[in-house]
Amino acid sequence: MDGISLIGGVQIQNRASVGGNLCNASPAADSIPALIAHEANCNVAGPNGIRTLPVEDFCIAPGKNALKAGEFLVSINVPAPKEKFGAGYLRFIPRNEMDIAVVGAGASVILSADGKQFASARIALGAVAPTPLFVSEAGDFLSGKDLTRANIKEAARLAQAMAKPITDLRGTAEHRKHLCAVLVERALNLAIERAGGQHVQ
């Protein structure tokens, strides 16, 4: 996944884990929108046994996750890709590396057999809400529609509308809103390309 290669530097990547990045529950985490786009699930073990929940339900507030007392995240399941599946994650940062995302966008698509339509899509955003954001409305909009620039732009607009960014030292709320649409559109095009889809007109 694109997001994993962006977390920290080489030293951190050799010591840390994707599960740790998820449990940290940062709204700006790079791995989480990518995991949401891949429809990943968390397996949590505790005193009452094992339970499973989607990654999009794992983060419940900035720095707070859904683990209860005595529970541990023991594994993350990422489904095997289906035919005509593609995914991508992109972020905007002030510096070239080792920085926190101002906005992150993950997208995945499953295309029709001829590569001309969306069978389904998933879109997620980071750093624009109190938790990483699964924008189901934007993905649902694309389902069954043709691969056109207009449809991709509309999905990006729907994702942008769901964002609730703040202004801080890394960017203004207005800038983040603008970046949502830009990055979702680019992430969708990357996912389409990786799925072997037709060139979008």
Side-chain angles (χ1 to χ4, degrees), residues 151-171:
N151 284 335
I152 291 170
K153 282 187 175 295
E154 178 61 13
R157 187 196 66 77
L158 290 169
Q160 179 187 50
M162 296 299 295
K164 303 169 187 174
I166 61 170
T167 294
D168 61 15
L169 292 173
R170 291 180 293 117

Side-chain angles (χ1 to χ4, degrees), residues 88-104:
Y89 172 78
L90 298 169
R91 70 176 182 180
F92 178 84
I93 56 173
R95 302 185 300 166
N96 287 333
E97 54 188 291
M98 293 180 66
D99 208 344
I100 299 170
V102 175
V103 176

Side-chain angles (χ1 to χ4, degrees), residues 107-138:
S108 67
V109 300
I110 299 175
L111 303 181
S112 59
D114 61 6
K116 295 180 180 180
Q117 289 185 321
F118 295 97
S120 64
R122 288 173 67 88
I123 296 168
L125 293 168
V128 294
T131 62
L133 200 58
F134 173 42
V135 194
S136 58
E137 296 87 346

Side-chain angles (χ1 to χ4, degrees), residues 128 164-168 171-180:
V128 294
K164 303 169 187 174
I166 61 170
T167 294
D168 61 15
T172 65
E174 292 78 13
H175 189 212
R176 284 188 163 105
K177 271 278 194 180
H178 170 74
L179 287 169
C180 285

